[in-house]
Amino acid sequence: MPNASHPAFNAYRNGTSAALQWLVQQQQWREQAASLLQRRMARDRVALEATLESLRGAQSWSDFGAASQTVWRDYLVASAALWQENTAATVQATGVWANAARDAMQQWQDTLAGLQPGAVAATGQVGAVQPMREWMAAFERAMSAASGAFDAPTHAQGGQHGR
């Protein structure tokens, strides 16, 4: 027996799928953030241990100053590497999120097309159409506003107050 298409269920399935995909991506982001935090703590621990060792081994202020410079250089190199990794992960996560949002919007639009008045007459299911359209319109407005906030800075020279 073939599966019959149910537009209202398809709309629910697409929305739930998009929400679950978003949650998976959020979990991956949290795991990356936790890993980065662990590496930052390890960097700090190494720097503290190296400072302590340089203090123990120093015979004069000059010895301690030279050893401290090495510790700081290593600390700054490690910090720059962590910063670069974090920036790359942020750019990647932004692209993944944008692609997921685009795909979800396309799926919802395709589902809504099946719920259009002509399709409703064929299926007899009208209940899910109007709330979904209103929600989609609100979501599209929010996405447009959010993407516009990143496109043009509004804070330049008091622009946020209409001056």
Side-chain angles (χ1 to χ4, degrees), residues 24 39 64 67 75 78 83 90 99 101 147 154:
V24 165
R39 291 180 53 216
F64 180 66
Y75 183 85
W83 181 81
T90 300
N99 289 339
S147 67
T154 58

Side-chain angles (χ1 to χ4, degrees), residues 21-109:
Q21 286 174 341
W22 181 77
L23 288 172
V24 165
Q25 291 166 0
Q26 290 302 307
Q27 182 62 30
Q28 290 171 346
W29 178 83
R30 283 191 298 272
E31 289 170 2
Q32 287 177 343
S35 173
L36 181 65
L37 180 60
Q38 287 175 333
R39 291 180 53 216
R40 287 175 39 207
M41 289 187 303
R43 173 207 58 195
D44 294 349
R45 181 184 38 77
V46 166
L48 288 171
E49 289 172 351
T51 301
L52 181 60
E53 189 59 36
S54 66
L55 184 59
R56 285 181 184 155
Q59 300 298 317
S60 68
W61 284 108
S62 297
D63 291 345
F64 180 66
S68 294
Q69 286 180 351
T70 301
V71 170
W72 273 108
R73 184 195 68 232
D74 294 345
Y75 183 85
L76 293 174
V77 166
S79 295
L82 289 171
W83 181 81
Q84 288 174 338
E85 182 181 328
N86 187 44
T87 301
T90 300
V91 169
Q92 180 185 12
T94 303
V96 167
W97 189 89
N99 289 339
R102 184 196 66 231
D103 292 346
M105 294 292 288
Q106 185 61 51
Q107 288 175 353
W108 288 331
Q109 287 176 350

